[in-house]
Amino acid sequence: MIKFLIDGLLNLFSIVITVVLTPINLALNTLVPDLTNAIAIVNSFWSLLETYGKFCISYTGMTSTTMSIILVLIYANLIIPWTVHGLKLVAKWWEVLV
Amino acid sequence: MKCRSGFNLLFVLCFAWLLVPYVSNAQTVSGYNTYYIQQTSNGTLPDNYTSPVSGLAFPTSSYTQLGAYQNQTYNVIRAMDLQFPNIEFVNGNTYTFTINFDYGSYIYPSWPNTANISTSFGIRSCPFGTCTATMTWQNDSSHQSVNTLQLKLVHKANANQTGKTFGIGPMTGNNGLFYNAYSSQQGIRINSATVDIVEDPNYQNTQDIINNNNQNTQTIINNQNANTQAQIESQQVCSKIDKTSTIQNGYINSNGSIVTSNSYGVTDFIKINQNSTIKVLETFTSHSVTNICFYNINKVKISCMSNSDITQVNEILSIPNNSDFVRFSINYDVNKPQFEICKNGNQALNDTLTDSSVNDSKINSFFNDLDFYDNNNFSSLITSPINFLNSLNDTCTPINLQLFGQTVSLPCGTTVFWERDFPYISTFRVFWNVLFGGALIYTLGLLLVKNISDAIDPTKDNIGGLKL
């Protein structure tokens, strides 16, 4: 019984996803232009920052341990809020769809 | 509010982007592929005719001398390399080639680089019509090309023809040999040519064949199955459907016609495919209420047709794309609206949509078929900043700049100061890290605490400068 309920729920979810995303899929396939060059320019910019970033860091005197702690905190500041708010958004989305 | 809606849309689009392959590949088409290389109506090919597939060209209005006949040998009239860019001939796979000629000829199909025409598949006599050759691709040193078939048109000369020149050109005679102003010159004219290739897609994976311990036996068995299946597919058999047990308040008789009673009737889902035809056998009065709806594999309605859409006897109803099942809803008054569903081959054997026929493979493992592709290297917008952050802890390398034609090397800070042999420099570096690095870490820690507090607060849904 539980298996049927879960299967049915997932089936419904799959159908809803298909129905909702089909027009979006079509729009993406037809309307999104070729962004290869634009994205390549952005990547070049970040590559440049990679080259000069660690060069500048070396002058600040930060040791590898200090930098590791700083980077871990930066990652945590990025990941935790985005994950929680992403889950909130998915829950909202689910509420609207179901 | 605008910002929130915009961000929601952005999130949905990003999520949709991930699911694009999943949605696109929701319907998997299986079966046997037929590649129509070129198919012309009856008549003469135009001058300078060029096939869409390179290599297939037949001059027809001018005579081209090719050589002199040799007695009792197969003289090559013309050799053509037919290239199939969309096919990769796979070792061990069997391919069936059907070549149609308007006039009698001999055809010698062979793989490229097969010089001796008396070996391999031999001469195929093709008098007035279809020539079929079944060939198995063998991957050896003499078969290097993987998507090319070579056709050789040959003519076996008799004693009288020995020594005479032959060629191809306009034909006025019979049996594919022409006698015109070039009476001493014989040749073959081809008015049209069709090359069909039927291959079994299950054998496109060479590695699967290699891994098969019973490769030869299995190949033979499956080739036989492939040929049988190909014949079934090509026969266009119009099989009937008996849905007596699955229509409510009505039935479909043994001829496949749906007959209803004086009440509303709804059929079960009847499986169809794109090659099926639904024909109107009898029209109905305006009192009838008839709907024919088409559904996809998930029972999602694609489209419906009503009375006004169906007005003529023998009208063939077009099946919308992505339709896998059809369902009839009928309420007739006077005339009996009748339909006939025809399918190809044996596909009518299982024509009922049951729970088990619902494609739930994606449910069991939602991302199994997710074929992620990175449009325009889109993911680099995320990965590039992350790579930048990761690189901050890498060992510094001197920067080389080109100035006035000379290379200027800028040394790193560690080389210039922090790792030099200065007195107390290592102690000062520890003190400096605690002072400066500690301040940074403390600030980031405060920010983290604030972010977590905001995240767990149900009344706050803003992140950064954006309000979700």
Side-chain angles (χ1 to χ4, degrees):
Chain A
M1 183 65 182
I2 294 175
K3 178 183 179 303
F4 284 121
L5 284 174
I6 295 175
D7 283 351
L9 199 63
L10 292 176
N11 195 359
L12 175 67
F13 182 71
S14 172
I15 293 170
V16 170
I17 292 290
T18 303
V19 171
V20 170
L21 292 186
T22 296
I24 300 175
N25 177 29
L26 292 174
L28 287 175
N29 284 333
T30 54
L31 299 179
V32 173
D34 186 1
L35 301 173
T36 307
N37 292 334
I39 294 175
I41 292 172
V42 175
N43 291 341
S44 301
F45 170 72
W46 283 108
S47 297
L48 199 65
L49 288 185
E50 279 185 31
T51 304
Y52 289 96
K54 54 190 177 186
F55 182 81
C56 296
I57 293 290
S58 72
Y59 275 90
T60 64
M62 294 295 106
T63 61
S64 177
T65 305
T66 308
M67 282 306 300
S68 296
I69 297 172
I70 291 173
L71 288 177
V72 163
L73 287 170
I74 292 175
Y75 287 140
N77 271 298
L78 289 174
I79 291 172
I80 293 176
W82 279 96
T83 303
V84 173
H85 286 292
L87 290 173
K88 286 182 180 179
L89 194 62
V90 169
K92 279 185 184 176
W93 202 35
W94 171 267
E95 209 174 321
V96 171
L97 291 176
V98 179
Chain B
M1 190 62 191
K2 286 182 179 177
C3 188
R4 172 189 290 194
S5 302
F7 193 82
N8 280 348
L9 179 61
L10 180 64
F11 191 91
V12 169
L13 287 176
C14 290
F15 195 61
W17 186 281
L18 289 174
L19 291 176
V20 163
Y22 165 71
V23 175
S24 300
N25 297 330
Q27 302 298 327
T28 301
V29 178
S30 61
Y32 294 87
N33 301 323
T34 299
Y35 298 89
Y36 296 96
I37 305 306
Q38 175 62 27
Q39 186 166 13
T40 66
S41 59
N42 291 332
T44 303
L45 289 175
D47 291 341
N48 302 320
Y49 164 73
T50 302
S51 168
V53 177
S54 60
L56 187 62
F58 301 101
T60 56
S61 64
S62 62
Y63 177 78
T64 302
Q65 182 174 309
L66 297 176
Y69 278 126
Q70 296 179 9
N71 189 22
Q72 298 299 321
T73 60
Y74 291 98
N75 300 276
V76 177
I77 302 297
R78 197 155 182 82
M80 296 163 290
D81 287 335
L82 304 184
Q83 296 177 359
F84 309 106
N86 296 324
I87 304 172
E88 183 177 350
F89 294 133
V90 178
N91 183 26
N93 200 358
T94 297
Y95 301 89
T96 302
F97 296 86
T98 303
I99 302 103
N100 297 318
F101 295 96
D102 281 1
Y103 295 93
S105 177
Y106 292 94
I107 183 69
Y108 176 77
S110 67
W111 301 111
N113 307 320
T114 306
N116 189 351
I117 63 174
S118 64
T119 60
S120 184
F121 311 103
I123 301 299
R124 309 281 173 176
S125 177
C126 309
F128 300 102
T130 302
C131 174
T132 302
T134 301
M135 302 190 292
T136 302
W137 175 257
Q138 297 172 344
N139 189 16
D140 55 41
S141 58
S142 64
H143 300 82
Q144 295 299 321
S145 179
V146 294
N147 63 355
T148 302
L149 168 73
Q150 190 172 73
L151 295 180
K152 291 178 180 175
L153 305 181
V154 296
H155 181 243
K156 187 176 182 179
N158 55 31
N160 294 332
Q161 294 168 326
T162 303
K164 294 180 179 179
T165 57
F166 66 91
I168 56 176
M171 188 188 76
T172 57
N174 295 320
N175 298 330
L177 302 178
F178 71 87
Y179 299 91
N180 55 10
Y182 308 96
S183 59
S184 64
Q185 300 159 332
Q186 301 179 351
I188 294 173
R189 190 182 76 166
I190 303 166
N191 271 353
S192 67
T194 303
V195 181
D196 294 348
I197 301 177
V198 179
E199 66 168 353
D200 184 351
N202 296 325
Y203 283 88
Q204 289 186 355
N205 190 335
T206 304
Q207 193 60 42
D208 288 347
I209 298 176
I210 294 174
N211 293 336
N212 191 343
N213 293 329
N214 299 317
Q215 177 184 353
N216 294 329
T217 305
Q218 193 61 41
T219 302
I220 293 171
I221 293 173
N222 285 288
N223 286 343
Q224 290 173 345
N225 292 337
N227 290 334
T228 304
Q229 186 64 29
Q231 290 174 2
I232 293 173
E233 295 281 345
S234 61
Q235 282 174 356
Q236 297 286 328
V237 175
C238 184
S239 64
K240 306 298 183 183
I241 299 171
D242 184 2
K243 302 291 295 180
T244 305
S245 61
T246 55
I247 188 171
Q248 302 168 11
N249 302 320
Y251 64 95
I252 298 178
N253 62 23
S254 58
N255 292 325
S257 303
I258 298 174
V259 181
T260 68
S261 63
N262 270 320
S263 59
Y264 189 72
V266 180
T267 67
D268 201 343
F269 291 93
I270 300 172
K271 194 171 185 178
I272 58 174
N273 57 43
Q274 289 302 309
N275 293 324
S276 301
T277 57
I278 299 178
K279 187 166 69 175
V280 179
L281 296 183
E282 191 174 346
T283 55
F284 32 87
T285 68
S286 58
H287 300 288
S288 302
V289 177
T290 302
N291 286 305
I292 299 178
C293 296
F294 298 91
Y295 300 80
N296 68 9
I297 191 69
N298 292 318
K299 295 184 181 178
V300 175
K301 189 182 295 182
I302 303 297
S303 65
C304 287
M305 305 177 77
S306 61
N307 286 16
S308 57
D309 301 321
I310 307 166
T311 56
Q312 298 176 354
V313 176
N314 293 330
E315 181 180 356
I316 304 295
L317 307 181
S318 60
I319 300 173
N321 290 334
N322 302 322
S323 297
D324 298 290
F325 295 91
V326 62
R327 194 175 196 182
F328 299 87
S329 304
I330 301 168
N331 182 17
Y332 82 94
D333 186 11
V334 180
N335 293 330
K336 296 176 181 177
Q338 292 185 343
F339 303 91
E340 179 185 67
I341 299 179
C342 298
K343 296 183 179 181
N344 292 333
N346 60 357
Q347 295 180 3
L349 295 178
N350 180 16
D351 54 9
T352 302
L353 178 62
T354 62
D355 288 342
S356 60
S357 61
V358 174
N359 183 9
D360 60 354
S361 58
K362 294 181 178 59
I363 298 171
N364 294 331
S365 183
F366 195 73
F367 293 103
N368 258 2
D369 295 332
L370 181 61
D371 182 18
F372 183 80
Y373 53 89
D374 193 5
N375 286 63
N376 303 317
N377 200 19
F378 200 72
S379 64
S380 63
L381 292 180
I382 303 298
T383 57
S384 292
I386 294 175
N387 289 336
F388 164 70
L389 285 175
N390 284 332
S391 71
L392 292 180
N393 204 17
D394 290 348
T395 303
C396 172
T397 54
I399 295 177
N400 297 319
L401 299 175
Q402 293 290 334
L403 293 176
F404 306 108
Q406 290 187 341
T407 303
V408 177
S409 180
L410 299 178
C412 295
T414 50
T415 309
V416 172
F417 182 72
W418 294 105
E419 292 182 357
R420 293 285 295 274
D421 191 18
F422 293 150
Y424 305 110
I425 184 65
S426 60
T427 306
F428 174 69
R429 193 175 188 186
V430 172
F431 174 75
W432 174 250
N433 270 266
V434 170
L435 191 68
F436 182 62
L440 272 177
I441 291 170
Y442 178 73
T443 307
L444 287 170
L446 286 180
L447 186 61
L448 180 62
V449 170
K450 180 180 181 302
N451 281 333
I452 293 176
S453 301
D454 290 346
I456 62 178
D457 187 349
T459 62
K460 294 185 177 179
D461 56 357
N462 60 318
I463 177 169
L466 298 172
K467 192 169 182 63
L468 295 179

